[in-house]
Amino acid sequence: MRSGDAEVAIAEKCVALVGAPNSGKTTLYNWLTGSRFKTVNYPGATVEFSLGHLASHLGEGLQAMDTPGTYSLHPKSADEWVTLRSIYENPKVDKIDGIIVVVDGTQLSRHLQLVMQMKETGFPMLVVVTMSDLLRREGVDLDLAYLEKTFGCKVLAFDGLLAGGLLEIVAEAKKLGSSHKPSRPVPWGFAQQEEKLKECERIAQEALQHKTDHAQERLNRIVATTEKLDRVLLHPWFGILFFILIMGGLFASVFWLATPFMDLIDGWFTSFAETVAAWGPGALWADFLANGVVTSFAAFMVFVPQIFILFVAIGLLESTGYLARAATLIDRPFSALGMSGRSFVPLLSGFACAVPAIIATRNIPSTKDRLITAFVVPLMSCSARLPVYALCIAFLFHGQSALYAGLAMAGLYLGSIVVGAFAAGIISKFIPRTEPSFFMMELPIYRRPKLRVILRQAWTRTLSYVKRAGPIIFTFAVIIWVGTTFPNYQTEDAHQKLEESYVGRAGKFIEPVVQPMGVDWRVGVGLISAFAAREVFVSSMAVTFNITDTDEDSQQQALLTQMSTATNAAGEKIFTVSSVIGLMIFFLIALQCMSTVGVQIRESGSWKFAMMQLVVFNVAAYVLVVVVVQSLRFLGVP
């Protein structure tokens, strides 16, 4: 009987990738599994382990697991604990058959410490040396055979740019496995640690010098450009100046670069809404599709280019290596607020989305620093706020130079940092420090970013964002349209129909609460709907203000026109400079994302902490808006 006559299930082995932050571990994982996970240059980027099958062209029979970066098997932070538990107590796999220890070839002596610790556990292992392209370019030829003999395992080189050596790594990884149960790592004492570090240094020098003349000089050349750049970008004064310019340019470009693409999308949705409305003139179903569904999605989708550009900009900072420098620069001012430079990366991630940013606080060893950072993260202006900001700024600077709009956008992001710093300064007074805090970060080499990879990652993240927001937008489009159309859907007068609708009645019930903010019940409905997702505010406004004016150039133009002419029951304009500034301040501070609250409960392990944050942020936002709006009006600002 031929074995091929029957389908035979191939038992899959599982290998874990373990390595220091920035060692190229996630890059190898992406090549092995064909994934598009983020590969970045700062510690703790991978805060959860990831499990994936081999990419189809690499065969089958092997699972790879990416773990958070760690310098040691003796964990000091939450993400390092994740690494240890994922290889010893992983609930997703029966056992880990072997370990691929990933070491940076340009930082060999420091990274070999992890290889030594792994060897002591008895895990079957394979060592992969990354950055081989940089070593090859400078003529550095590592003695891999010597390393194999020293550590008693296979050692292979890997080129993360072109995947050189990938097939050999897969072939060797499939051979890993043993019936022997590995032991737990035993922490080294101080004297033993010193001895091991010296031994790592000796082994690294041997491996470098056996086949390469003047190896250290060649290694120095690899970092020469980085050192020159760091003399400027980490300078006590020029470094801060460049930091402000880079961050200001990043956030301002989100508005400037996106405008042409936003106009294209806006025009397309306008034409599509008119087409849909023409399918059934006067019919309720056509009105629902055109002015409910299409209008809601148009109000949201028009801001997608800005979100995409934000992700690209953050990806550029990550891939060039500047992000770790920014964290170093910001450490001293952050320490005055009870945080450290490690807090910078979670806070910057908060500008994309607060949920992964709060999870990223696991790489902060100090409990106090971690709690303060997690408390402040929701104050960073996440991408969900972007549509609201863009609409408000477009209203305030309508018809004026894009420069003003860009500066206003940068000012809002800067404002969220200032508010976050203020909040951190306050909360740090109430959280006692139970252990010493220190900041230590390995600065990666500056590298030219791969634009194709960055664009692909930005696209994936933008698509994920749209997919997550899409069902919520659709649900609320239905609710808001039904609420604004019924029960008197046959009423000819649009204003009367809206006032007598379900939404109108509910809005008027809450109107006394939102009136001090300078807005009426229609905006109040939008604010409440934003607690499901902030993006819903814009689409709710589009439906609530009944964008049906087909004579206008576009949906966005129609909404801006409606905003400029909308009046309350007393005949006063609703959207003025003061009330729109108030709206931006409200969205700057208020915590309206229930997903953020959920992950905060999980990460902090405290309902009390999360609920306190929810109440404090929203009450503070409301009180501050009322004070600002009423003060501006007292000073004569409309």
Side-chain angles (χ1 to χ4, degrees), residues 560-627:
L560 290 172
T561 302
Q562 290 281 356
M563 288 172 65
S564 65
T565 56
T567 56
N568 59 21
E572 300 166 337
K573 283 193 172 182
I574 298 170
F575 296 98
T576 62
V577 173
S578 59
S579 67
V580 172
I581 288 175
L583 281 175
M584 289 193 291
I585 292 174
F586 185 81
F587 276 90
L588 191 74
I589 299 173
L591 176 50
Q592 300 158 293
C593 178
M594 293 304 107
S595 299
T596 301
V597 176
V599 79
Q600 192 72 276
I601 292 170
R602 193 186 72 176
E603 293 298 312
S604 67
S606 168
W607 277 85
K608 185 179 176 183
F609 182 80
M611 290 301 110
M612 181 268 292
Q613 187 182 37
L614 180 67
V615 172
V616 167
F617 282 9
N618 289 317
V619 171
Y622 176 77
V623 171
L624 185 61
V625 169
V626 171
V627 170

Side-chain angles (χ1 to χ4, degrees), residues 115 119 123-127 144-155 176:
V115 180
K119 183 184 177 185
F123 258 116
M125 69 175 184
L126 160 67
V127 176
L144 301 184
Y146 166 74
L147 291 175
E148 287 182 359
K149 184 179 178 183
T150 302
F151 293 108
C153 67
K154 196 72 179 176
V155 179
L176 294 176

Side-chain angles (χ1 to χ4, degrees), residues 101-172:
V101 186
V102 182
V103 299
D104 180 347
T106 65
Q107 311 289 334
L108 201 57
S109 61
R110 285 204 297 274
H111 290 193
L112 285 182
Q113 180 187 204
L114 190 59
V115 180
M116 278 190 176
Q117 293 175 348
M118 193 58 74
K119 183 184 177 185
E120 288 181 355
T121 66
F123 258 116
M125 69 175 184
L126 160 67
V127 176
V128 171
V129 181
T130 59
M131 310 293 175
S132 65
D133 55 319
L134 292 179
L135 296 173
R136 188 169 56 248
R137 191 183 68 193
E138 292 299 333
V140 177
D141 186 10
L142 282 177
D143 190 346
L144 301 184
Y146 166 74
L147 291 175
E148 287 182 359
K149 184 179 178 183
T150 302
F151 293 108
C153 67
K154 196 72 179 176
V155 179
L156 296 171
F158 177 63
D159 176 357
L161 288 176
L162 302 174
L166 185 65
L167 294 178
E168 292 81 357
I169 292 171
V170 172
E172 290 299 326

Side-chain angles (χ1 to χ4, degrees), residues 279-508:
W279 289 346
L284 204 56
W285 64 267
D287 182 63
F288 166 66
L289 290 178
N291 300 313
V293 177
V294 177
T295 298
S296 295
F297 273 93
F300 165 69
M301 291 296 292
V302 75
F303 299 106
V304 167
Q306 291 182 326
I307 294 166
F308 176 77
I309 290 171
L310 176 66
F311 286 141
V312 170
I314 292 176
L316 283 171
L317 292 181
E318 294 170 348
S319 59
T320 54
Y322 181 74
L323 209 54
R325 272 80 183 176
T328 304
L329 282 169
I330 214 74
D331 178 61
R332 180 167 292 181
F334 270 28
S335 63
L337 301 170
M339 297 184 287
S340 73
R342 278 182 176 265
S343 304
F344 176 72
V345 172
L347 292 179
L348 185 66
S349 302
F351 285 109
C353 180
V355 171
I358 290 174
I359 297 174
T361 60
R362 291 178 184 178
N363 73 60
I364 302 173
S366 163
T367 304
K368 178 174 181 177
D369 294 1
R370 188 165 62 250
L371 283 175
I372 294 173
T373 307
F375 185 81
V376 172
V377 160
L379 290 172
M380 301 300 104
S381 289
C382 67
S383 51
R385 289 174 167 111
L386 201 52
V388 182
Y389 290 164
L391 179 66
C392 292
I393 289 173
F395 177 85
L396 290 176
F397 299 99
H398 187 55
Q400 299 184 46
S401 168
L403 176 64
Y404 298 125
L407 291 175
M409 183 66 81
L412 277 169
Y413 280 98
L414 180 62
S416 70
I417 295 171
V418 172
V419 172
F422 183 69
I426 293 176
I427 193 72
S428 67
K429 308 293 183 190
F430 296 94
I431 302 178
R433 188 175 292 285
T434 56
E435 71 269 89
S437 175
F438 65 95
F439 175 69
M440 183 180 69
M441 181 170 285
E442 185 172 313
L443 299 179
I445 297 170
Y446 287 113
R447 302 205 69 176
R448 186 180 300 168
K450 290 189 72 177
L451 193 58
R452 182 174 57 85
V453 174
I454 292 173
L455 291 176
R456 190 177 63 182
Q457 290 172 347
W459 171 249
T460 302
R461 295 165 76 178
T462 303
L463 199 60
S464 171
Y465 174 81
V466 171
K467 285 179 179 176
R468 192 178 70 243
I472 301 173
I473 298 253
F474 178 79
T475 302
F476 270 79
V478 174
I479 293 172
I480 298 293
W481 180 82
V482 169
T484 55
T485 304
F486 294 96
N488 301 321
Y489 66 92
Q490 291 178 320
T491 302
E492 293 291 334
D493 187 306
H495 187 72
Q496 182 185 355
K497 185 171 77 172
L498 185 61
E499 280 209 336
E500 294 175 351
S501 68
Y502 296 126
V503 165
R505 295 171 192 177
K508 290 196 171 182

Side-chain angles (χ1 to χ4, degrees), residues 518-531:
V519 295
D520 77 343
W521 61 270
R522 285 170 289 185
V523 180
V525 169
L527 291 175
I528 291 174
S529 65
F531 277 85

